[in-house]
Amino acid sequence: MKKILVTGGAGFLGSHLCERLLSEGNDVLCVDNFYTGSKDNVKHLLANRNFELMRHDVTFPLYVEVDEIYNLACPASPPHYQFDPVQTTKTSVHGAINMLGLAKRLRAKILQASTSEVYGDPEIHPQTEDYWGRVNPVGIRSCYDEGKRCAETLFFDYWRQHQVDIKVVRIFNTYGPRMDPNDGRVVSNFIMQALQGKDITIYGDGHQTRSFCYVDDLIDGMIRMMNGPAGFTGPVNIGNPGEFTMLELAQQVIALTESNSKLVFMPLPQDDPKQRQPSIELAKAQLGWQPNVALQDGLLKTIQYFQQVVRQAK
Ligand code: NAD
Ligand code: UDP
Ligand code: UDP
């Protein structure tokens, strides 16, 4: 049995990760300051004697004893990470330093949840890991993009300088049950709007693209990376190459929910990337990983979840 620390474990992805690690027989320590996550996301795990929940902010040092660390702590949706941008950078950078210091002391393997945002508004399509990205260093997305880029730098410097066993995954847009209905991401916004018969808010002309990965596939890729070939540090893209415009996504959501909602067009947020699609050749070759859940199937499961959320709110 391994003792595994998951930071940000009470968030959307973290809660699914804790669940999977427990089901595989591990002992899981979930650390979270509940900034964007919630106890509700992990309440079904609290009765499991191999699960422990600790309120802690990763910008402060943490002294615990574990074998592996998954570092997910960081707000992830644009409205949430822009709400307190200084705290977002602190979480990425000070959080990475503290978790790397912990990994160094314990000689523990550590995985960083990085992001496709390190590519910024990319000129290379699809994005391969060797692309350095096109990121605005002084815009409203920079606290997140540059914070995550600096965290990657720290991971590679702890690896080069202190031989810490690192694993870096670049996560592309992921969706599924337990997304926060109010965090402003496109999948949760569109589904909630469709279920409530509200207007569907398209930012810009809706021709910008994203590639959406269902949460179960993502978690599978993350765990494969942690357990992957020795010395394979990444960075490796984990995402679903199926690429859609926001108009196409809206139309799919309307069809699957049989909603009467209409589309409304709103201003495009500053620095919003025009296109995004992962190249997953490296993940296929090194980890034998590829996603299996088609957008329609994943959306149906997510819609079921949000139907419950809407019912409970009534
Ligand atoms: P989320 O907001 O649901 O989860 C983040 C969790 O981190 C929350 O539980 C939050 O309370 C916690 N947290 C934030 N600051 C903290 C701090 N200082 N100390 C301790 N805990 C803190 O978001 P998510 O979608 O589950 O994202 C998880 C990770 O994956 C993030 O690092 C995010 O950048 C990365 N990621 C997610 C996506 C995606 O599409 N979901 C894409 C790329 C990268
Ligand atoms: N750290 C931690 N837990 C540990 C070991 C270190 O939180 O078990 C933190 C510690 O606060 C330090 C940071 O990680 O500031 C970086 O640690 P490192 O050993 O690299 O640096 P140093 O202690 O020399 O500053
Ligand atoms: N978006 C949209 N309507 C919404 C929320 C988002 O059209 O209600 C767009 C947003 O401008 C972006 C895309 O959907 O082009 C994905 O946005 P999200 O915030 O989910 O993720 P990110 O931009 O970080 O990839």
Side-chain angles (χ1 to χ4, degrees), residues 27-41:
D27 199 89
V28 174
L29 171 60
C30 169
V31 161
D32 206 296
N33 68 349
F34 306 119
Y35 184 58
T36 53
S38 80
K39 285 183 197 166
D40 274 351
N41 284 338

PDB file of all heavy atoms in Angstrom, residues 27-41:
ATOM      1  N   ASP A  27      -3.380   4.432   0.314  1.00  0.00           N
ATOM      2  CA  ASP A  27      -3.724   5.298   1.424  1.00  0.00           C
ATOM      3  C   ASP A  27      -3.611   6.740   0.910  1.00  0.00           C
ATOM      4  O   ASP A  27      -2.565   7.114   0.384  1.00  0.00           O
ATOM      5  CB  ASP A  27      -2.679   5.051   2.522  1.00  0.00           C
ATOM      6  CG  ASP A  27      -3.153   5.526   3.853  1.00  0.00           C
ATOM      7  OD1 ASP A  27      -3.793   4.740   4.548  1.00  0.00           O
ATOM      8  OD2 ASP A  27      -2.877   6.703   4.179  1.00  0.00           O
ATOM      9  N   VAL A  28      -4.687   7.525   1.012  1.00  0.00           N
ATOM     10  CA  VAL A  28      -4.691   8.844   0.371  1.00  0.00           C
ATOM     11  C   VAL A  28      -4.833   9.969   1.396  1.00  0.00           C
ATOM     12  O   VAL A  28      -5.743   9.963   2.225  1.00  0.00           O
ATOM     13  CB  VAL A  28      -5.837   8.937  -0.664  1.00  0.00           C
ATOM     14  CG1 VAL A  28      -5.952  10.356  -1.223  1.00  0.00           C
ATOM     15  CG2 VAL A  28      -5.612   7.946  -1.804  1.00  0.00           C
ATOM     16  N   LEU A  29      -3.897  10.922   1.319  1.00  0.00           N
ATOM     17  CA  LEU A  29      -3.995  12.144   2.115  1.00  0.00           C
ATOM     18  C   LEU A  29      -4.390  13.281   1.168  1.00  0.00           C
ATOM     19  O   LEU A  29      -3.631  13.647   0.259  1.00  0.00           O
ATOM     20  CB  LEU A  29      -2.645  12.454   2.773  1.00  0.00           C
ATOM     21  CG  LEU A  29      -2.535  13.821   3.466  1.00  0.00           C
ATOM     22  CD1 LEU A  29      -3.559  13.974   4.577  1.00  0.00           C
ATOM     23  CD2 LEU A  29      -1.114  14.019   4.021  1.00  0.00           C
ATOM     24  N   CYS A  30      -5.586  13.816   1.383  1.00  0.00           N
ATOM     25  CA  CYS A  30      -6.110  14.892   0.532  1.00  0.00           C
ATOM     26  C   CYS A  30      -5.889  16.220   1.250  1.00  0.00           C
ATOM     27  O   CYS A  30      -6.367  16.410   2.364  1.00  0.00           O
ATOM     28  CB  CYS A  30      -7.598  14.618   0.304  1.00  0.00           C
ATOM     29  SG  CYS A  30      -8.505  15.970  -0.437  1.00  0.00           S
ATOM     30  N   VAL A  31      -5.145  17.114   0.603  1.00  0.00           N
ATOM     31  CA  VAL A  31      -4.862  18.425   1.198  1.00  0.00           C
ATOM     32  C   VAL A  31      -5.528  19.500   0.345  1.00  0.00           C
ATOM     33  O   VAL A  31      -5.350  19.515  -0.880  1.00  0.00           O
ATOM     34  CB  VAL A  31      -3.329  18.629   1.256  1.00  0.00           C
ATOM     35  CG1 VAL A  31      -2.989  20.097   1.424  1.00  0.00           C
ATOM     36  CG2 VAL A  31      -2.721  17.810   2.383  1.00  0.00           C
ATOM     37  N   ASP A  32      -6.295  20.379   0.981  1.00  0.00           N
ATOM     38  CA  ASP A  32      -7.016  21.399   0.215  1.00  0.00           C
ATOM     39  C   ASP A  32      -7.356  22.563   1.143  1.00  0.00           C
ATOM     40  O   ASP A  32      -7.610  22.356   2.327  1.00  0.00           O
ATOM     41  CB  ASP A  32      -8.312  20.793  -0.342  1.00  0.00           C
ATOM     42  CG  ASP A  32      -8.785  21.497  -1.608  1.00  0.00           C
ATOM     43  OD1 ASP A  32      -9.116  22.701  -1.534  1.00  0.00           O
ATOM     44  OD2 ASP A  32      -8.836  20.852  -2.666  1.00  0.00           O
ATOM     45  N   ASN A  33      -7.357  23.775   0.587  1.00  0.00           N
ATOM     46  CA  ASN A  33      -7.798  24.917   1.413  1.00  0.00           C
ATOM     47  C   ASN A  33      -9.238  25.321   1.079  1.00  0.00           C
ATOM     48  O   ASN A  33      -9.708  26.352   1.549  1.00  0.00           O
ATOM     49  CB  ASN A  33      -6.849  26.117   1.250  1.00  0.00           C
ATOM     50  CG  ASN A  33      -6.925  26.725  -0.135  1.00  0.00           C
ATOM     51  OD1 ASN A  33      -7.521  26.157  -1.038  1.00  0.00           O
ATOM     52  ND2 ASN A  33      -6.303  27.885  -0.310  1.00  0.00           N
ATOM     53  N   PHE A  34      -9.909  24.528   0.236  1.00  0.00           N
ATOM     54  CA  PHE A  34     -11.320  24.737  -0.134  1.00  0.00           C
ATOM     55  C   PHE A  34     -11.553  26.100  -0.785  1.00  0.00           C
ATOM     56  O   PHE A  34     -12.613  26.690  -0.632  1.00  0.00           O
ATOM     57  CB  PHE A  34     -12.248  24.541   1.086  1.00  0.00           C
ATOM     58  CG  PHE A  34     -12.033  23.214   1.759  1.00  0.00           C
ATOM     59  CD1 PHE A  34     -11.627  23.140   3.087  1.00  0.00           C
ATOM     60  CD2 PHE A  34     -12.212  22.028   1.059  1.00  0.00           C
ATOM     61  CE1 PHE A  34     -11.405  21.917   3.699  1.00  0.00           C
ATOM     62  CE2 PHE A  34     -11.991  20.792   1.667  1.00  0.00           C
ATOM     63  CZ  PHE A  34     -11.586  20.739   2.990  1.00  0.00           C
ATOM     64  N   TYR A  35     -10.555  26.578  -1.502  1.00  0.00           N
ATOM     65  CA  TYR A  35     -10.683  27.865  -2.204  1.00  0.00           C
ATOM     66  C   TYR A  35     -11.704  27.742  -3.334  1.00  0.00           C
ATOM     67  O   TYR A  35     -12.614  28.559  -3.452  1.00  0.00           O
ATOM     68  CB  TYR A  35      -9.301  28.265  -2.739  1.00  0.00           C
ATOM     69  CG  TYR A  35      -9.248  29.605  -3.406  1.00  0.00           C
ATOM     70  CD1 TYR A  35      -9.616  30.765  -2.731  1.00  0.00           C
ATOM     71  CD2 TYR A  35      -8.805  29.727  -4.727  1.00  0.00           C
ATOM     72  CE1 TYR A  35      -9.557  32.002  -3.352  1.00  0.00           C
ATOM     73  CE2 TYR A  35      -8.736  30.960  -5.346  1.00  0.00           C
ATOM     74  CZ  TYR A  35      -9.120  32.087  -4.653  1.00  0.00           C
ATOM     75  OH  TYR A  35      -9.048  33.317  -5.277  1.00  0.00           O
ATOM     76  N   THR A  36     -11.548  26.731  -4.169  1.00  0.00           N
ATOM     77  CA  THR A  36     -12.554  26.461  -5.210  1.00  0.00           C
ATOM     78  C   THR A  36     -13.150  25.067  -5.068  1.00  0.00           C
ATOM     79  O   THR A  36     -14.173  24.771  -5.687  1.00  0.00           O
ATOM     80  CB  THR A  36     -11.945  26.589  -6.631  1.00  0.00           C
ATOM     81  OG1 THR A  36     -10.780  25.757  -6.701  1.00  0.00           O
ATOM     82  CG2 THR A  36     -11.574  28.020  -6.940  1.00  0.00           C
ATOM     83  N   GLY A  37     -12.531  24.219  -4.297  1.00  0.00           N
ATOM     84  CA  GLY A  37     -13.073  22.871  -4.087  1.00  0.00           C
ATOM     85  C   GLY A  37     -13.998  22.868  -2.878  1.00  0.00           C
ATOM     86  O   GLY A  37     -14.224  23.900  -2.250  1.00  0.00           O
ATOM     87  N   SER A  38     -14.542  21.690  -2.552  1.00  0.00           N
ATOM     88  CA  SER A  38     -15.444  21.643  -1.399  1.00  0.00           C
ATOM     89  C   SER A  38     -15.433  20.264  -0.746  1.00  0.00           C
ATOM     90  O   SER A  38     -15.099  19.260  -1.389  1.00  0.00           O
ATOM     91  CB  SER A  38     -16.867  21.988  -1.829  1.00  0.00           C
ATOM     92  OG  SER A  38     -17.471  20.863  -2.403  1.00  0.00           O
ATOM     93  N   LYS A  39     -15.822  20.258   0.528  1.00  0.00           N
ATOM     94  CA  LYS A  39     -15.911  18.998   1.256  1.00  0.00           C
ATOM     95  C   LYS A  39     -16.935  18.071   0.603  1.00  0.00           C
ATOM     96  O   LYS A  39     -16.796  16.858   0.649  1.00  0.00           O
ATOM     97  CB  LYS A  39     -16.307  19.258   2.707  1.00  0.00           C
ATOM     98  CG  LYS A  39     -15.167  19.818   3.532  1.00  0.00           C
ATOM     99  CD  LYS A  39     -15.604  19.991   4.974  1.00  0.00           C
ATOM    100  CE  LYS A  39     -14.635  20.928   5.681  1.00  0.00           C
ATOM    101  NZ  LYS A  39     -15.131  21.417   6.954  1.00  0.00           N
ATOM    102  N   ASP A  40     -17.959  18.670  -0.011  1.00  0.00           N
ATOM    103  CA  ASP A  40     -18.984  17.861  -0.688  1.00  0.00           C
ATOM    104  C   ASP A  40     -18.384  16.924  -1.733  1.00  0.00           C
ATOM    105  O   ASP A  40     -18.859  15.814  -1.932  1.00  0.00           O
ATOM    106  CB  ASP A  40     -19.990  18.777  -1.399  1.00  0.00           C
ATOM    107  CG  ASP A  40     -21.094  19.214  -0.450  1.00  0.00           C
ATOM    108  OD1 ASP A  40     -21.157  18.662   0.669  1.00  0.00           O
ATOM    109  OD2 ASP A  40     -21.861  20.124  -0.828  1.00  0.00           O
ATOM    110  N   ASN A  41     -17.334  17.397  -2.419  1.00  0.00           N
ATOM    111  CA  ASN A  41     -16.727  16.581  -3.486  1.00  0.00           C
ATOM    112  C   ASN A  41     -16.107  15.291  -2.962  1.00  0.00           C
ATOM    113  O   ASN A  41     -15.919  14.343  -3.725  1.00  0.00           O
ATOM    114  CB  ASN A  41     -15.645  17.388  -4.218  1.00  0.00           C
ATOM    115  CG  ASN A  41     -16.228  18.416  -5.160  1.00  0.00           C
ATOM    116  OD1 ASN A  41     -17.377  18.295  -5.584  1.00  0.00           O
ATOM    117  ND2 ASN A  41     -15.446  19.441  -5.489  1.00  0.00           N
TER     118      ASN A  41
END
